[in-house]
C-alpha cells in the first residue's frame, strides 16, 4: 500500500501543480498579446501600403490626363483619339461628371434665392404654378 504524503508534501505537490497551470495560462496570455500586437502592426502597415498604392495610382492617373491633354493640344480631337483606341481618361471623365452634378444643384439653388429676391412677378409665377 502507498504511503500517504505528509501535509507539507501534499501542499507542495498542489503548489507545483498550480504553478504549472499558472505558467500555461501565462503562456496563453503572452501569445494572445503577441497576436494582438502583430495584428495591430500589420493593420498599420496595410493602411500605409494602401495609401502608397493609392498615391501611385493617382499620380499615374494625373500623368495619363496630362498626356491625353498634351495630345489634344498637339491637335488631336477626342474623337480621333477614341478612334485610335484612346478613350478619355477615366479620371477626367469622372471629374466632369462630378462637376456637372455639382453645377446642376448649385445653379438651381442660386436661381431660387435670386429669383425670390430680384423680381416680384417671378414670385407671382411661382404661386400660380403652385396652384
Amino acid at each position: 500500500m502507498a504511503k500517504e504524503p505528509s501535509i507539507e508534501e501534499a501542499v507542495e505537490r498542489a503548489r507545483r501543480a498550480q504553478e504549472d497551470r499558472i505558467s500555461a495560462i501565462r503562456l496563453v496570455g503572452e501569445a494572445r498579446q503577441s497576436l494582438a500586437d502583430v495584428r495591430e502592426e500589420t493593420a498599420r502597415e496595410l493602411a500605409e501600403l494602401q495609401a502608397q498604392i493609392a498615391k501611385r495610382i493617382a499620380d499615374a492617373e494625373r500623368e495619363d490626363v496630362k498626356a491625353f491633354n498634351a495630345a489634344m493640344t498637339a491637335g488631336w480631337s477626342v474623337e480621333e483619339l477614341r478612334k485610335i483606341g484612346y478613350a478619355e481618361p477615366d479620371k477626367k471623365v469622372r471629374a466632369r461628371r462630378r462637376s456637372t452634378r455639382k453645377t446642376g444643384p448649385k445653379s438651381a439653388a442660386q436661381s431660387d434665392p435670386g429669383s425670390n429676391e430680384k423680381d416680384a412677378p417671378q414670385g407671382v409665377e411661382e404661386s400660380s404654378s403652385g396652384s
Side-chain angles (χ1 to χ4, degrees):
M1 192 145 195
K3 172 183 133 186
E4 283 190 27
S6 68
I7 296 173
E8 291 80 26
E9 289 174 336
V11 168
E12 183 58 31
R13 287 180 188 168
R15 183 173 292 126
R16 277 186 293 203
Q18 284 297 94
E19 286 174 2
D20 289 345
R21 294 176 72 194
I22 290 172
S23 293
I25 292 298
R26 179 174 287 112
L27 289 174
V28 170
E30 290 169 353
R32 293 287 168 95
Q33 184 61 51
S34 176
L35 175 60
D37 293 345
V38 167
R39 284 182 174 158
E40 183 180 324
E41 182 181 345
T42 54
R44 199 174 323 118
E45 290 172 358
L46 178 60
E48 290 171 5
L49 183 59
Q50 287 174 331
Q52 290 173 1
I53 290 168
K55 182 184 180 314
R56 287 176 57 194
I57 290 170
D59 291 346
E61 286 174 338
R62 274 192 298 279
E63 288 301 315
D64 182 47
V65 169
K66 193 183 296 184
F68 191 85
N69 289 338
M72 288 178 46
T73 301
W76 291 95
S77 70
V78 173
E79 185 62 32
E80 290 172 322
L81 290 167
R82 194 175 296 128
K83 284 180 182 178
I84 293 171
Y86 294 122
E88 285 187 88
D90 291 337
K91 191 72 171 180
K92 186 175 183 180
V93 171
R94 276 188 264 141
R96 284 187 183 166
R97 287 182 189 154
R98 286 186 192 140
S99 64
T100 303
R101 288 180 191 156
K102 289 180 182 176
T103 303
K106 284 184 182 178
S107 297
Q110 290 172 352
S111 309
D112 291 341
S115 62
N116 289 339
E117 294 174 6
K118 288 181 184 178
D119 300 319
Q122 289 180 350
V124 173
E125 289 174 9
E126 289 176 8
S127 62
S128 64
S129 64
S131 299

